[in-house]
Amino acid sequence: MPQALINPTLTGINQTIEDVLDDYPVHPYQSAFSLPELRQKLVAHILSQVSHPLIEGLQAASNAAPVPHYSQLQVRLRTEMLVRGSILHILRENAVWLNRHLPGA
């Protein structure tokens, strides 16, 4: 992925993570993803799930090249859905680790 796409994509994903986590209880969700190790896994998982057409849409926005149009609402809803699914996936996948590193988990 070109460097020009990484920063805006990462910034948008991090903001969406914050917005989505605001909908979840502090314990265990916000507490778990305040741990740098788990937050990094969450971001990596989300980035691995970003679809190729969405990346093309982001690239088109920066290059003004003709590619499929994605509305801001579509991109936001898709990203929120990815974040919510990824939160559950990462918590399930790291449950044992989380029990050792998060008091009261």
Side-chain angles (χ1 to χ4, degrees):
M1 189 180 317
Q3 182 67 26
L5 290 179
I6 293 173
N7 290 338
T9 302
L10 192 55
T11 300
I13 287 172
N14 279 320
Q15 183 59 54
T16 303
I17 289 170
E18 290 299 319
D19 294 345
V20 168
L21 282 174
D22 283 343
D23 294 341
Y24 287 83
V26 170
H27 188 78
Y29 298 94
Q30 292 180 29
S31 299
F33 291 105
S34 68
L35 300 171
E37 297 89 346
L38 222 52
R39 176 60 74 104
Q40 186 175 5
K41 287 182 180 189
L42 177 61
V43 170
H45 185 267
I46 293 166
L47 286 172
S48 75
Q49 301 299 309
V50 173
S51 67
H52 185 70
L54 183 58
I55 291 171
E56 286 179 349
L58 292 170
Q59 189 175 25
S62 64
N63 295 338
V67 296
H69 173 73
Y70 293 94
S71 73
Q72 288 182 337
L73 179 60
Q74 287 172 314
V75 171
R76 180 179 172 169
L77 291 175
R78 169 101 169 105
T79 305
E80 284 183 12
M81 185 174 61
L82 280 170
V83 169
R84 290 179 191 282
S86 295
I87 285 171
L88 296 175
H89 174 80
I90 296 299
L91 286 178
R92 267 192 311 261
E93 189 176 80
N94 294 280
V96 172
W97 182 91
L98 192 55
N99 282 331
R100 288 192 310 257
H101 291 86
L102 189 64

